[in-house]
Amino acid sequence: MGFDINNKTVLVTGANRGIGRVIVEEAIERGARKVYAAVRETESAAPLVEQFGDRVVPIRVDLADPESITDAATQANDVDVVVNNAGVLTTCGPTDPQAFDALEFEFGVNVFGMLRVAQAFAPVLQANGGGAFVQLNSVASVRSFADLSTYCASKAASYSLTQSLRQSLADHGTLVVSVHPGPIATDMSHDAGFAEVAESPTLVATAVFDAVAEGRFHAWPDSAAKQVGAAYGSFAENVIESSDHEHTAANNNPRENAHKEVHAV
């Protein structure tokens, strides 16, 4: 089932620029009552406050700072939709001596930070009657690129956790959406060398809230993403999104099976 954000409260991490800023604007356009602009420095959200007045509330969230996330969940206790957009990217190959440092940096934000946001806000969403949790993953979560190997690894881990969250939060009445953009016209994409093929961040914002409204788990916003999504679609539909598969997995007890296998021998 979908979720209508009209007259609801939304929180967006990394809201001060790029995709995050456009997601804030799209939420307001679709009737959100209030949007928490979750940023590392609240002053950076001043242009959004100037644009939308008290419908935008800056709040400090640094995905590398666990305390800032738990504090934000306490302050934003009226939130209905959480969009975890913030992330980091380095250009690093698997044989690069800096690969371990890059992995530590990207996993710290893209994986651990994402999970901290999910754990902090899941009880809030549940207490408010259930809502939506949106994770900005990437086409890089299903297809690796050598020069972005550590980033791809972090997004693959994030995507795996997002699948688990979909199952776990369903019992809370919370919809989970996994968004997989390709190259998007942001500073991050420009620095990674994708400026010439990057598309508008508006595509991502539209895809986010269309998926929330329609109750879809996967969203493939831009043309590059749609190509990947089309090729990946059968697996996604029949394995990841299949309720029968989820039911089987949820009722499968590894310890019980292991016990049966031992006795079978």
Side-chain angles (χ1 to χ4, degrees), residues 57-217:
V57 178
I59 188 170
R60 183 177 180 272
V61 171
D62 182 346
L63 266 61
D65 178 0
E67 187 175 350
S68 76
I69 298 170
T70 55
D71 287 348
T74 300
Q75 296 174 50
N77 59 10
D78 57 343
V79 74
D80 302 294
V81 179
V82 174
V83 182
N84 186 45
N85 158 74
V88 294
L89 177 150
T90 62
T91 53
C92 187
T95 59
D96 192 314
Q98 279 70 53
F100 295 100
D101 292 336
L103 277 170
E104 184 174 3
F105 173 57
E106 288 164 327
F107 266 69
V109 174
N110 298 345
V111 183
F112 299 144
M114 169 266 195
L115 193 57
R116 291 184 184 114
V117 171
Q119 290 192 357
F121 281 95
V124 177
L125 295 172
Q126 183 179 21
N128 292 334
F133 180 85
V134 181
Q135 171 60 25
L136 266 291
N137 287 313
S138 169
V139 293
S141 62
V142 296
R143 199 281 194 204
S144 190
F145 302 88
D147 291 341
L148 304 174
S149 61
T150 57
Y151 172 76
C152 295
S154 72
K155 284 300 184 179
S158 171
Y159 177 39
S160 180
L161 287 170
T162 308
Q163 294 173 47
S164 299
L165 285 168
R166 176 175 179 253
Q167 299 170 31
S168 298
L169 300 191
D171 292 338
H172 297 184
T174 294
L175 168 71
V176 174
V177 177
S178 183
V179 186
H180 298 260
I184 300 297
T186 63
D187 292 342
M188 178 185 291
S189 185
H190 180 275
D191 293 344
F194 295 113
E196 292 186 2
V197 295
E199 296 184 68
S200 171
T202 301
L203 296 172
V204 182
T206 300
V208 163
F209 292 114
D210 282 353
V212 169
E214 297 165 14
R216 289 186 285 105
F217 178 57

Side-chain angles (χ1 to χ4, degrees), residues 228-238:
V228 174
Y232 185 69
S234 178
F235 177 82
E237 180 180 354
N238 293 296

